Amino acid sequence: NVEAAESQKVITWKSQSHWPMASSSYRDSLVAVAERIKERTNGRLVIEPHPGGALVPGPQVFTAVKQGMLPIGVTSSAYDLAEVPIFNVVAGLPLNFAAEWEGVYFHQWMGFEQMVKDYMLENHDMLFFTDKIYTTELSLKKPVRTFEDFKGLKLRSSGILQKYLTSIGAAASMIPGGDIYAALASGMMDGAHWGAVQGSYSMKFYEISKYHLRPALNVAATDIWLVNKKAFDKLPEDLQEILVSTLEEHFWLRTNQYIYLESLVLSKIQREDNVTLITLPPEEYAKMQKAALKIWDDVAALSPECEEAVEMVKEFNRKMGRID
Amino acid sequence: MRVLLKVIACIDAFNDRLGRILSYAVLLMFLVVLSEVIRRYVFNAPTVWGTELTQLTFGVYSILAGGYLLRWGGHVNVDILYNRFSTRTKAFIDILTSVLFFLFCGMMLIYGSILAKNSIAIWEHSVSAWGPPLWPVKLMIPFGAFLLLLQGVAKLIRDILTLAGADVKEGS
Amino acid sequence: MSIELLTILFFSTLIIFLLLGLPLAFVLGGVSVVFLYFTWGPEAFYMVVLQSWGVMNKFTLVAIPLFVFMAMILERSGTANDLYDMMYLWFGRLRGGLAIGTVVICAIFAAMCGISGAAVVSMGTIALPSMLKRDYDKLIAVGCINAGGGWGILIPPSIIMILYSLITGESVGRLFAGGVFPGLLMLVLVSVYIAVRCYFQPELGPPLPVEERGDWLRKFRSLKAVILPVMIVIMVMGSIVMGIATPTEAAGMGVLGAIISGLVYRQLTRSLIVEAGIRTFRLTGMIMWILFGAYCFTAAYQGMGASRLIESLMQYVPGGPWGTIVFIQVVVFLLAMVLDPMGIMMICVPVFLPVVLSYGFDPVWFGILFIINMEIGYMTPPFGFNLFYMKAIVPPSITMGDVYRSIIPFVIVQLVGMALVMIFPEIALWLPDLFFD
Ligand code: NA
Ligand code: NA
């Protein structure tokens, strides 16, 4: 009887993403997963979604989940590099991969994701899942055709990519998200990255910036799901299974959907906003990647896990014949 | 009683001194913002630290202002009803409502300390390209809450003394 | 407990403690802590610190100390006073002329600054002593600054518009363009109100006595008082438009301008800087601690399920496109009396916008209406941010009751303005359509 009552009990989990309401990922990831889980548990596990800033500021989701304030949350691994050095690799080394499938392979077949899962469980009492693999790409007001064209380009960037772009001669500065549009419009900036095509589109960059640049600055699983271990342990076993399998399945669904949406929006902005897609040739890509190796080595020096992960990235690129 | 007055005077003086020093930070913020604008526009060479240094200075400036403000009665309130009360009634009401004050301030202090402790445990640095240490800034949260709490205690003592019939001047 | 009942309990606790005279910052923070405990549990207390840390990290708020510092220097160096002398000489015949001049300066300031708190505190510092000194009625003086200070979020640049665009995905450029004419409309309406009111009640905004009205020579000489303020405006707005600085950094250009004018006036002493610095510290700290509390309060309310309340309220919509719009505006106006604008936006916009769009209304137009509503909400009791900011800078002879009373006519006038934008959407949409289509 107690068991029967237990199996009928509705468990409500508050959750929050770092995405604002307008971001398509809020709907397509957080809300979508919440709905799937509700359906699959017959309403026994209700995940209550909140957008970035509603309960805690976007960058504080990690802390909120770790401290047990939120049982589950979605955040960007780039916010918590200090606390979890391996997130430097999760958030994406500059010029690490040339296409989404490479990032997927690295995570799921080469065992990188399992390595992070183990690390997070052991050191931070949290279950770790990636949301999707996606690219970070620049949208620009001026065309860039060669590696040398980055010199003196005024770019809005942040974190490790800001370091990278500075190291190849760009004038990269960090200005807050809300100021970017005005900075592009006034000519203070020549370009910015905010995700790739969909991100830039949602920030209205293409109203001003008429060039979209590839290759990607990185290919990574920057957005991550975190689940508090204590809260997880309190779930009945069947709910635990549904939660884990739904999140793991979500990675594949969402990555594929995201790639589709990138192509869709790219074709839309090419037609409607007269945006030109520039794809740098392989020899320019090689120069860009070579310039990034120094930063890879800096990350490798951070911890044993980082060293191992960077070696895996290098190994992949060696096999592709890109680096020595 | 004399000891109490002395304690109050010490708290007042401490927050006062600190506030006067902190008030210069606005000049620092101004100079950093200006130099960042000049470096970027004139020399096309923005710094990696300009925006963040301003931001961190601003954060510390704000969180440490709480105690100084309370010492000078600078936290605004609604005085429509309040002003009609006598000095002693005011003291009595302030003692009652200080429960909310201490709850808020106490949570800031306790959880700010946890935040700072976790930050110090990893000697946290910012994840930006500049990467300055963040733990001293986070440490300012419990410190700011502590300063405010001290000043709140001073105010509570004043209110209790006032209620007991002593003539204690506020904010002097 | 239902969210309806919780809401009533939550807000009445807020209002009771406000009336008992506890400072706003602590009421917001304290009430949040109590309600977090009962509706969420002690693990939620961490939020208090996380939200405060979030506020400490908002770069756009750096504009507050910079603009306030600028205003302090302008006031103490005599720049502001000379500007008012000039206005008095030129427009002294016009009853209420200084108040109209003040709202014009407010509109210009709004175009330099995206945060209304900075505008109210700065304009209050510059304009209020100048008007009181020239025997203007305190209610007119305080009211017009409160109204004009609110335009900071309506006339671009505007932080609230950026937030609206982040929530809805609308273009920031279109929103910025959409705010221009409604802002000018408010300026005209408020000016007309002041002119008419003072025409019939000259004691509210006394004209310059005939014997003090200068000749043309004096008038033209006085014009040099505009040179420095105009230079500052050009420095701030110019650096935004020319791509030299972000709107936030442009505040630093304002300080530079104020320092230059202090040097021209030969008043830039060490003691002036020190005193301006301390007053800036106090006002910025006051605003920031209110924000620490307000962010907790809003987050606590969201945690209780605020959006569920708004969703269930939508069942009572009277129906029809205009019925819906009016109903929404009423709900927002009521919420604005007790909640901070950022919070209202986060709670309401996601629920309201789909309904508004389904009726075929323009989202930019709706955003502008929403922002006008917010702007009026900033100055409606019991909890209009601008009222508190104003209270912090007025002389002790002006009480919170005066501040509350002063805004009544200005709220009514701006409600008329809002109705006009509602009836004639072109006021908001003409400029964005011109630029972006
Ligand atoms: Na503005
Ligand atoms: Na209000």
Side-chain angles (χ1 to χ4, degrees), chain C residues 109-115 151-158:
Chain C
F109 197 93
M112 299 172 18
C113 171
I115 304 173
W151 300 335
I153 57 168
L154 180 58
I155 298 174
S158 158

Side-chain angles (χ1 to χ4, degrees), chain C residues 234-251:
Chain C
I234 291 174
M235 282 172 70
V236 175
M237 294 218 295
S239 64
I240 299 174
V241 175
M242 309 262 302
I244 298 172
T246 64
T248 308
E249 293 168 336

Side-chain angles (χ1 to χ4, degrees), chain B residues 95-115:
Chain B
I95 293 169
L96 284 184
T97 57
S98 72
V99 174
L100 276 196
F101 166 85
F102 284 111
L103 274 177
F104 179 47
C105 203
M107 291 307 148
M108 270 303 229
L109 180 61
I110 295 168
Y111 289 87
S113 305
I114 297 175
L115 189 77

Side-chain angles (χ1 to χ4, degrees), chain B residues 20 24 30 40 55 58-59 61-63 66 68-69 72 74 76-77 79-80 82 93 104 108 111-112 115 148, chain C residues 20-21 23-24 29 45 49 52 56-59 244 249 252 274 278 281-282 285-286 288-289 391 400 404:
Chain B
R20 286 184 168 272
Y24 286 97
F30 159 62
R40 187 176 53 229
Q55 182 66 72
F58 175 68
Y61 179 82
S62 307
I63 198 81
Y68 177 83
L69 274 172
W72 290 105
V76 278
N77 63 350
D79 54 15
I80 297 180
Y82 188 71
I93 289 174
F104 179 47
M108 270 303 229
Y111 289 87
L115 189 77
L148 180 60
Chain C
L20 287 177
L24 173 63
F45 290 151
V49 171
S52 302
M56 287 165 73
N57 279 301
K58 283 191 194 304
F59 186 70
I244 298 172
E249 293 168 336
V274 168
I278 290 205
F281 182 56
R282 281 179 67 155
M286 181 265 308
M288 287 299 288
W289 274 85
K391 169 80 191 310
M400 197 61 168
Y404 280 178

Side-chain angles (χ1 to χ4, degrees), chain C residues 304-325:
Chain C
M304 289 177 213
S307 30
R308 278 204 305 278
L309 171 77
I310 303 299
E311 272 161 30
S312 71
L313 269 183
M314 289 310 281
Q315 296 163 1
Y316 302 101
V317 171
W322 287 100
T324 307
I325 287 286

Side-chain angles (χ1 to χ4, degrees), chain C residues 334-413:
Chain C
L334 292 177
L335 278 180
M337 288 187 175
V338 282
L339 213 62
D340 87 282
M342 298 276 179
I344 297 173
M345 204 144 235
M346 285 193 52
I347 294 167
C348 293
V349 169
V351 182
F352 289 156
L353 196 72
V355 183
V356 171
L357 292 183
S358 73
Y359 283 118
F361 289 114
D362 187 296
V364 169
W365 168 76
F366 179 69
I368 298 297
L369 272 186
F370 207 98
I371 284 159
I372 296 175
N373 216 333
M374 295 289 90
E375 180 234 311
I376 300 173
Y378 264 136
M379 50 186 261
T380 34
F383 174 35
F385 272 18
N386 289 0
L387 301 171
F388 287 89
Y389 300 160
M390 184 55 95
K391 169 80 191 310
I393 47 162
V394 295
S397 60
I398 299 178
T399 63
M400 197 61 168
D402 292 330
V403 177
Y404 280 178
R405 261 197 307 282
S406 74
I407 55 98
I408 296 169
F410 291 95
V411 167
I412 295 171
V413 169

Side-chain angles (χ1 to χ4, degrees), chain C residues 247-270:
Chain C
T248 308
E249 293 168 336
M253 304 302 278
V255 177
L256 180 65
I259 287 179
I260 292 173
S261 68
L263 287 172
V264 171
Y265 274 81
R266 296 172 191 282
Q267 291 292 323
L268 201 75
T269 58
R270 195 186 131 87

